[in-house]
Amino acid sequence: MAHGRITGWASNLPEQVLTNDELASMVDTSDEWITARTGIKTRHIGGKVTEMSTRAAADAMAMAGVTADQIDLLILATTTPDQQMPASASVIQDNLGLTCGAFDLNAACSGFVYGLVTAMQFIEGGLERVLLIGSDALSPVVNWEDRGTCIIFGDGAGAIVLERSADQPSLLGWDLMSNGDAADLLYCDHGDKIVMLGKEVFRKAVLAMESASLNAMERAGVNAEDITLVIPHQANVRIIETSLKRLGIPFEKAAMVLEHTGNTSAASIPLALVDALNQNRVNTGDLILMVGFGAGMSSAAAVVRWDPPQN
Ligand code: COA
């Protein structure tokens, strides 16, 4: 149980949009196939993690009304840092003029939820404000000749400001898991492109989403019917539909952006969260279930009680 209120949020997508029809001119596929098998219509490409993250974070800080010197820690969830070193978090920290610790966290597409749980521990440990970013630029590591992978990935960033709160706990329950024995189902070697066994990833993803969600809900002491909004990792609409059906949560409760973003890895949950918040889909006391899975294979879920910002 941790006390950390989300007081600012924002996202950023690169300008360049790649449509399914454009993909169909690059590989043997079609808009109909991609739409039916994934739910994706367009994705943004050409992004750089440090640039997208800096823009999203600056907007989230402005919304929260916090200045650079008030941020105590920056956590960047990413699996595609701009450079091997330094950490992209350090570059973003400098861009934003922060004077605090900063580090990258790599748990692939589960990274934002791993980051949320980590940030909450730091707040419980005494910090006042943590800036959490989820960002990935997958377009440089996509094999644009492989129709089995190039259709699903995109670039983006989402950021939130977390502030210590004296009110009721906001992180009610969580679950972090990794199954390294399935690491060869989805990987990218240094200097190489993404390799994915899509069908097997799909099967494991459904089970991981279910198991992580059930564990987080059990630890939070809540049931599926108590969940007001689900923020699932945006990889494939069929994975989300199947997982939610197994959990007994209506699909209408899911925040969805993948139609226009594709799978943006660590950015996908914050992109969907920001979209839901901007659409006023969240009210005081609502229970939000965030759940993701990804390379590793990692999975993560968190049940968050929504307390509106008070500034
Ligand atoms: N366009 C047209 N046909 C395609 C295609 C494409 N882009 N990609 C694959 N196909 C073909 C295959 O070659 C196969 O043809 P065959 O039956 O003649 O051999 C057929 O479609 C079915 O392929 P399959 O791989 O079984 O498709 P699928 O329904 O599993 O869909 C994915 C493929 C990648 C969309 C799906 O497996 C998926 O989304 N997996 C999870 C990926 C994921 O979530 N990754 C990120 C994890 S964080």
Side-chain angles (χ1 to χ4, degrees), residues 7-11 54-66 131-133 158-161 274:
T7 57
W9 55 87
S11 58
T54 300
R55 291 189 198 110
D59 289 346
M61 286 168 59
M63 180 181 184
V66 302
L131 175 59
L132 171 62
I133 306 168
I160 60 172
V161 175
V274 167

Side-chain angles (χ1 to χ4, degrees), residues 14-35 40-46 142-147 150-153 259-260:
E15 271 178 27
Q16 191 181 349
V17 174
L18 182 67
T19 66
N20 288 349
D21 284 334
E22 286 169 315
L23 275 170
S25 70
M26 297 157 60
V27 290
D28 183 14
T29 190
S30 65
D31 176 40
E32 293 71 32
W33 194 95
I34 302 170
T35 306
I40 300 165
K41 295 292 260 183
T42 58
R43 70 286 291 146
H44 293 249
I45 61 167
V142 162
N143 176 355
W144 294 106
E145 294 177 355
D146 175 11
R147 68 175 183 172
C150 73
I151 54 163
I152 62 174
F153 294 110
E259 184 180 347
H260 303 296

Side-chain angles (χ1 to χ4, degrees), residues 28-30 33-34 37-38 109 147-148 151-153 186 196 198-199 201-202 233 235-236 238-239 263 293-295:
D28 183 14
T29 190
S30 65
W33 194 95
I34 302 170
R37 302 309 290 166
T38 69
C109 304
R147 68 175 183 172
I151 54 163
I152 62 174
F153 294 110
L186 176 56
M196 181 177 78
K199 224 177 188 36
V201 171
F202 189 112
H233 172 44
N236 184 322
R238 292 186 297 126
I239 293 176
N263 178 353
F293 63 91

Side-chain angles (χ1 to χ4, degrees), residues 108-230:
C109 304
S110 311
F112 185 79
V113 180
Y114 266 76
L116 178 72
V117 173
T118 306
M120 289 289 197
Q121 308 308 308
F122 276 105
I123 284 177
E124 285 299 284
L127 297 189
E128 286 294 328
R129 291 178 196 85
V130 179
L131 175 59
L132 171 62
I133 306 168
S135 178
D136 268 302
L138 294 160
S139 58
V141 287
V142 162
N143 176 355
W144 294 106
E145 294 177 355
D146 175 11
R147 68 175 183 172
T149 57
C150 73
I151 54 163
I152 62 174
F153 294 110
D155 305 342
I160 60 172
V161 175
L162 283 158
E163 299 193 54
R164 177 196 281 276
S165 160
D167 296 342
Q168 313 181 47
S170 46
L171 178 61
L172 304 184
W174 51 269
D175 184 65
L176 304 182
M177 184 47 67
S178 169
N179 286 301
D181 61 343
D184 57 355
L185 298 183
L186 176 56
Y187 63 90
C188 182
D189 285 326
H190 283 301
D192 215 334
K193 305 291 182 190
I194 295 173
V195 177
M196 181 177 78
L197 299 180
K199 224 177 188 36
E200 193 53 19
V201 171
F202 189 112
R203 202 180 64 77
K204 288 199 183 298
V206 168
L207 299 177
M209 294 267 281
E210 181 184 15
S211 153
S213 300
L214 289 175
N215 288 339
M217 287 193 291
E218 187 183 343
R219 287 170 195 151
V222 303
N223 297 313
E225 22 326 336
D226 301 322
I227 300 296
T228 330
L229 181 70
V230 184

